[in-house]
């Protein structure tokens, strides 16, 4: 289900006192319009945009579904209704579609690169999202075929280097396990030794942070020696992008996580075109 | 003044039910920490981040001010206090600094490129921002030396192609002028003829949308013939980036606006490092 | 577009725990009702009231549009639906219509007085509105033919006496101009000399604050001497009301602004009359 | 206790994107200032204004308390601190003080007029307040010596003409009494007969709505005949103002309620004067 | 009228990031379902639950109305629509119905016990409700035939022992009466002497707090001696439950109030059963 | 960290228009007070209550920490400050402490009963909490030594009977696993066959719903035969309470979950006693 109050907060940001231009000039006018892709990619944000247009009374006809491949010139959505409603929502909708489709497209590309090498590896995002847009950044990652990873600090235990300055791996995992069985426990480690320690302490997942491929390999070997590889899921993270993802993908790991999926993106180019306008009256 | 409720909404997004890991593991522990730049650029988001840390009771010492040039390895802010507070705010603060500094840095670079050619030209952003982050995207543009342009649909009259399908330039400008003298009126035009029409109708600004340089030149000439150039401020917009900004900068225009300042950015890399921890107790 | 969440906040204020009387007594009853003017004036607030009644499921038939002249006894809106809905919204709707129509009516009267003398002068409101009701106070001013002036501190630069205790006119205008070209810059001045200084610094507008007519005249003369009159829009403000508006209107100024349009008003008298009730049942 | 979130909502209305002028021009400057009355009256809104200034870090010294009589030129509050904070809050604070003091002053005057005639009569307000400002309108009435009457539809039973079109007086009072003993029950009546009926049904209070003095007298007589006067409190309402309040006050009634206390007011004139500014720096 | 925003806040608590299971598994599927009682009792919360299901687009058919007696196995509500909507709302709806029906059932039982002895005595709840659920706890009490007592601290004057450590009964009642005639005044007393004092001061109600039956009797006698019994309503409170309610009910008191109606309850057992599912598609 | 905005929402519910009694009677008075337990149990809600008192300016001295055993008569917290602040927060604080301590106490008892039999079994709560109070109900469970289970529908995958009417166990687990590795997957099953199917499909946890002990035993045997017991965590749920918990505890299961921990509770009795009052003045 779409979170309408979140979407309306985006609109409030773009029109705290209304749309002064459209309210003045096109009040009471009806029109039809289309949202059109200018670039190739994976569509995302169409459900959210449609909900916003509908909230303001416009009729929406979806011609593409989120997650589908789209081509330049393709119509993503057809709209008809009150021109002030359509123009009020326009930019917010395009910003949502543009950012989410940009993320979905980038994710899809990286998933493809990784899976050509290793069909069972996953590509995951991080919490390096744009503040206020976390849920939609994460949804876009899923639409692109990525794993969203934890959504927030409330979701699971991720015991990081900063925690381990204050508590040992053993104690941290033990206390997390004692609190609840319903959350996964992951430990961020920087050395093969700590990786072994975390697995032996009972972590469900380990994150090999900023390890160069050689050290990842050594960690895998240490775990294999102790028959501990299959007890845990292994995530590699830190400084991975298009240029080196394949190097990591070819190792026996489960997940490659990448901040760049959400913190360094290029919006997909989409625009709204008013197609036909009819003179009409509403109060 | 910083808008604390906006900043807290970003934190709520990252911790709807609290930070389960830190609440469990580092409750009642004190520490000191530093935020450190990993890349060169223009600092932004430090004021907002500091306010968030302070809200949760941490002491904050600013070593850099927003808008200053920063170098890799430079400490941006020193923190001390309750470890759960510092780790709770960590990612939100880094996301704010990362995105804002990324935008400020990119803006600063483009302003520099344009002003080398034309010292009085301005570089402006658009409303193509990340939903929920508009105000900070715009502030980052200003910190980078750019003009924020309108913040929202409520700020000024911008009469765009979609409006002009429903009303003439003359009527649109006349009605806007009749409503209020306190808002600027800008008209988006696609031809020299419409540019002339908008200026003669009394627009304060015109936006030459997606015009190639040659057509911009022709528009300037038409305006000059009518002695109308000095009556109006001229913005060029559409498809402008690092590769072609200088071409536009060398013409007699006032503003170059670019969606890419905010819609296609790379976060500046910053991290938080816990430096020293002390065992201690608070309830 | 009407801001529904603002309107609902007004209702929540009038019924934090519901309408205990109607919930008890008229649950499940249907009725028709009319909103009727008791005084002559300019209608305002009908769109907002209609939206509130509709939100609670009542059918609304508008017989008058906002901005129209109304007469005592005239029906402004016809309603039908659930009696608890209509009685729940009643007082909030009447308070909105009463206040907004009172402001629109007063504004209309003052605009008429000023324009009889000077057909191109404008009457503007200030920010002296009732807290929580700013947007509707400003909309009412527009419906009465007034200029709303700035809506908030975020809209434009208005450099006032309190700023000028801390920064010079020249520096203030220069810094505002450097920040953005998209906002108007107005300077409040108390002497002809400062008026000249502000215009020469590049202000778009000057506000002659609390100047008696003779000093306004002298300011206009000083500006004329320097051929600076046409470079700027001139607002007179401070202590202007029905008794002296004509004195100012006859001078070569652009705008007369008056706090009294919103801070000292008399609500237009309107009432809601239940006309017919039918026994009926809904859960 | 002051409701800070309500007060902050008023500020958000006046500065959705901050105070662009002060943020640009007086950042990091300290100053002292005073709020000064320009007219004689009863002070109100000082507690609320003080809370807002303090929230933004200014030091506040109260020289007058709410409810006290004030004179033109009198300093109501002294402020010192960050100039951006003081100028940000300025207009909101003045609007709160202006409106509340206006209401308190008018109420005080009417209470005095009524009590000269009848020392035990009360003057009450209605729900004809400015939407969004109900609680402070009501508090101002109390500061002026008035009875606030019900604050909202949730407070008590007030059975009005519109309810009585759908249910009889007897049934209405009986059902209200059966629901709870903790709320007062008042019935609005237009005839002496209905007044008697309401008292006999057990109403705690009756409101004689729009009755001319002669009919009020007749109602009192009918109640006296039935020894019912002392069982009920009697409110007269409808069209009462300065011109006729004494006529009603001289009758044996308990309360005179007047919409005009809040719907037709003149703000008390107050201003904020920056007194001394010091160059200084904060981040 | 149902307060939708309150109900939606309950849902947000149960699904801050949506229902991850249903969103993944049953998107686009339609189903019918029923809410079924597992225990005998008084139905409550059906209106609120129906409103939530309808908000998310499900069709709702009510087979039972709030306040009616229900039996194990009885269908309370039939639903049809999108499976994700129905499953999203399921637990929140059941928690509302379960708690409210539990309270209504307990209240009904205690009302019955008390009225068998004394048909005009009332059973009232207190403010010992579950935070965040006050309004619905109080509504449930009413549906069970109880008196809700004051809803909040804003409703009426209840002068308690803690106030009386700071002010005398006489002064407290006098000041409350002076402030407004529209709120009831109740005084909590612990001795017959204070009861007499409160009635003579003019209290509308007195609460005999934690008095054993013998002392209640003595208080009633003291009041009778002074012919003061009929001037006041008498509430007994403190430590009353199923085991001793009849002892109090047989005395000449008006109200028995019990925290246990809301602070110590057992939810009525209800469940939602998906009955038929159809494969289908919506975007 | 305590969620202050949630706590303030509870207070707003108890005082939408302030505390009319205390605001009138004890304004400007200082006092000291203590929160005292009337019953034996496990303390909870003290941190939240302390935060609320401190927010309103009272000084708080904690004499007991959440999770500690308390005895009748024990002082839990000492307060001093403005009497209006302390009395404003009183009931909300007591309701929070009462409910949370009631839940913690009940949980602790049941944990003890289960662990006497099986020291490694866990007792978990469900989502059958009081709407609006979920987070604190869950925290209370943890303070009593219980496992909170999932907090909301967003936390993990719990594939229930209603989902399995629309999708097979195999497909459901496969799709959940494909979406993310960061959330646990639990399947609710009603037969030993489905339990085996869920484990073989790769579920992390299975919930044996409403199975009598004999069928739980048969399920464990079927899993043991397939060497599948150790691959999964096993929760039993449905109709378990004090009377039968030991029967389940003695089997080889991991978790016993019980709705009754939160849906059928008795608040722990606590009260606030004003101890000393001093006459004093603040504005």
């Amino acid at each position: 289900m779409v979170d309408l109050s979140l979407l309306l907060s985006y609109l409030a940001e773009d029109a705290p006192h209304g749309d002064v231009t459209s309210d003045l000039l096109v009040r009471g006018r009806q029109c039809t319009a289309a949202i059109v892709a200018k670039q190739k990619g994976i569509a995302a944000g169409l459900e959210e945009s449609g909900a916003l247009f509908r909230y303001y009374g416009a009729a929406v006809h979806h011609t593409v579904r989120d997650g589908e491949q789209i081509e330049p010139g393709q119509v993503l959505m057809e709209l008809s209704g009150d021109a002030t409603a359509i123009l009020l929502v326009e930019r917010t909708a395009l910003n949502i579609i543009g950012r989410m489709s940009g993320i979905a497209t980038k994710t899809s590309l990286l998933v493809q690169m990784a899976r050509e090498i290793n069909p069972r590896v996953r590509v995951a995002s991080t919490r390096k999202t744009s503040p206020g847009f976390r849920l939609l950044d994460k949804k876009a990652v899923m639409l692109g075929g990525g794993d969203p990873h934890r959504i927030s600090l409330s979701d699971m235990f991720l015991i990081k280097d900063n925690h381990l300055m204050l508590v040992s791996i053993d104690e941290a995992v033990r206390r997390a396990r004692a609190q609840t069985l319903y959350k996964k426990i992951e430990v961020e480690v920087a050395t093969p030794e700590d990786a072994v320690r975390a697995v032996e302490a009972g972590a469900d997942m380990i994150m090999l942070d900023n390890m160069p491929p050689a050290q990842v390999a050594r960690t895998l070997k240490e775990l294999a020696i102790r028959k501990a590889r299959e007890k845990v899921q292994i995530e590699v993270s830190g400084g991975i992008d298009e240029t080196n993802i394949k190097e990591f993908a070819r190792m026996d790991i489960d997940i490659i996580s990448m901040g760049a999926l959400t913190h360094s993106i290029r919006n997909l180019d989409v625009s709204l075109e008013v197609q036909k306008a009819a003179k009409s009256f509403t109060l």
Side-chain angles (χ1 to χ4, degrees), chain A:
Chain A
M1 310 295 298
V2 157
D3 180 345
L4 194 59
S5 70
L6 179 69
L7 300 176
L8 290 174
S9 76
Y10 298 152
L11 205 78
E13 177 188 63
D14 196 31
H17 303 160
D19 173 354
V20 295
T21 313
S22 301
D23 283 355
L24 179 71
L25 298 179
V26 301
R27 197 123 196 270
R29 303 293 293 271
Q30 302 292 307
C31 70
T32 62
I35 294 183
V36 183
K38 300 298 177 91
Q39 295 180 310
K40 180 190 172 85
I42 302 294
L46 301 177
E47 186 181 14
E48 285 73 20
S49 299
L52 267 179
F53 283 113
R54 263 188 295 264
Y55 178 83
Y56 283 96
V60 178
H61 175 62
H62 288 280
T63 50
V64 168
R65 288 163 66 188
D66 285 322
E68 291 184 351
Q69 174 79 37
I70 53 177
E71 301 298 326
Q74 193 169 351
V75 170
L76 307 182
M77 201 185 293
E78 292 167 349
L79 304 163
S80 69
D82 184 345
T84 53
I86 289 172
L87 297 181
L88 173 69
V89 175
E90 173 183 6
R91 175 49 46 212
T92 300
L94 296 179
N95 285 349
I96 291 171
I97 298 171
R99 180 170 175 90
M100 288 182 74
S101 301
I103 290 172
T105 302
K106 182 172 189 177
T107 303
S108 173
L109 184 76
L110 284 155
V111 167
Q112 213 176 320
M113 287 178 70
R115 295 214 171 147
E116 272 170 22
I117 307 291
N118 175 350
R120 44 162 289 283
V121 81
R122 286 160 192 254
V123 172
S125 63
T126 66
R127 289 187 299 120
K128 295 182 180 175
T129 56
S130 182
F133 207 72
R134 170 74 52 84
L135 298 184
L136 299 190
D137 273 8
K138 292 288 189 179
K139 185 176 173 189
V141 167
M142 286 192 272
L143 287 168
D147 186 316
H149 207 299
R150 66 172 166 168
I151 306 300
S152 79
L153 291 165
S154 307
D155 287 14
M156 60 177 288
F157 296 106
L158 180 36
I159 300 161
K160 304 192 73 169
D161 55 350
N162 281 336
H163 299 109
L164 295 175
M165 289 192 64
L166 295 148
V167 65
S168 71
I169 288 177
D170 265 18
E171 186 187 343
V173 174
R174 186 177 48 70
R175 285 166 64 184
R177 183 64 74 222
Q179 183 175 93
T180 182
L181 290 178
Y182 295 89
K183 290 187 191 307
K184 294 258 180 135
I185 301 171
E186 182 168 20
V187 181
E188 179 187 302
V189 295
T191 66
E193 294 67 36
D194 276 355
V196 168
R197 201 164 288 130
V199 178
E200 290 181 343
D204 297 304
M205 314 180 79
I206 53 175
M207 181 199 290
L208 310 185
D209 190 43
N210 277 310
M211 282 194 191
Q215 205 175 4
V216 172
R218 195 160 80 73
T219 302
L220 289 167
K221 201 168 146 191
E222 293 293 335
L223 289 173
I225 288 168
R226 285 158 182 83
K227 299 199 189 306
R229 172 62 189 90
E230 61 281 2
K231 290 185 194 156
V232 74
Q233 277 151 341
I234 299 178
E235 173 184 345
V236 296
S237 187
I240 306 176
D241 61 18
E242 296 84 340
T243 65
N244 58 357
I245 188 170
K246 293 194 173 183
E247 253 184 287
F248 287 95
R250 64 174 50 95
M251 286 187 283
D252 176 28
I253 54 164
D254 299 290
I255 309 156
I256 300 168
S257 68
M258 299 168 65
L261 289 189
T262 52
H263 77 51
S264 295
I265 62 116
R266 173 171 287 278
N267 277 22
L268 196 92
D269 195 4
V270 283
S271 71
L272 180 145
E273 293 166 12
V274 169
Q275 293 170 319
K276 210 178 55 188
K279 203 146 205 164
S280 66
F281 175 74
T282 61
L283 178 81

